[in-house]
Amino acid sequence: MSEQDKSNEWDSLWQEYTKSLENWKTVYEQIQKASSDMQEKFNQVWDKATVESSTETMKLFTENWQKSMADAGMNSFKEFTENWQKALTDSNASTFKQFSENWQKTLSSSGLEQMNAYGEMMKKFAETWSSMWPKS
């Protein structure tokens, strides 16, 4: 292989790499934006629910949500359950908000596995919400 061929091969490989890197960056930015938007909407739903719902309703909702995650094989959320129980004992809107912020931050901050788990958790949130308050 001539030096020119090696140089062309290297240039081609480098161009493929930089294109892949640019694609990755674009997708990453889209994921960040979608995650931020989802968290913002979740917080709005959560705030409304904690203001307009009784502690018993919130407890029932969370039990159903936890059950749906366990049924889906998401048993790795023991800490979520423990923290939720602590939030319930206080039954203060600011405690619920703090709980929500803490677990969202934990789940969305470290890697693809956490991102996938966070997405699954939010999906189960929506499914549980829909089963308790179906659209009319």
Side-chain angles (χ1 to χ4, degrees):
M1 185 177 275
S2 74
E3 287 300 315
Q4 182 63 35
D5 290 340
K6 287 180 183 179
S7 178
N8 288 342
E9 183 181 344
W10 172 252
D11 289 345
S12 177
L13 180 58
W14 186 254
Q15 287 173 0
E16 290 173 23
Y17 168 76
T18 56
K19 184 177 179 183
S20 293
L21 181 60
E22 288 169 9
N23 288 339
W24 175 86
K25 184 179 177 194
T26 298
V27 169
Y28 179 74
E29 288 169 350
Q30 290 170 343
I31 289 170
Q32 283 183 308
K33 184 178 183 321
S35 293
S36 177
D37 183 55
M38 181 177 63
Q39 287 178 350
E40 179 183 328
K41 300 304 181 213
F42 171 85
N43 287 336
Q44 291 172 357
V45 168
W46 196 256
D47 288 345
K48 185 171 178 61
T50 57
V51 168
E52 297 179 7
S53 302
S54 69
T55 302
E56 273 307 305
T57 300
M58 293 303 291
K59 182 178 178 184
L60 178 60
F61 169 76
T62 305
E63 288 169 356
N64 290 335
W65 186 15
Q66 289 172 346
K67 183 180 182 316
S68 74
M69 287 187 287
D71 291 347
M74 298 174 69
N75 294 320
S76 61
F77 294 104
K78 184 178 180 187
E79 184 178 336
F80 168 84
T81 304
E82 291 169 355
N83 288 334
W84 175 255
Q85 294 305 321
K86 288 177 190 171
L88 276 180
T89 59
D90 190 351
S91 71
N92 175 326
S94 66
T95 302
F96 285 122
K97 185 174 178 70
Q98 185 64 46
F99 160 79
S100 170
E101 290 170 358
N102 287 344
W103 73 258
Q104 283 188 54
K105 185 177 179 182
T106 299
L107 286 177
S108 64
S109 66
S110 60
L112 291 176
E113 185 176 323
Q114 262 45 2
M115 185 173 66
N116 185 49
Y118 178 73
E120 285 299 312
M121 202 168 183
M122 296 308 286
K123 179 180 172 187
K124 293 300 174 187
F125 171 84
E127 290 170 358
T128 305
W129 189 275
S130 293
S131 72
M132 285 187 68
W133 293 284
K135 297 176 185 170
S136 30

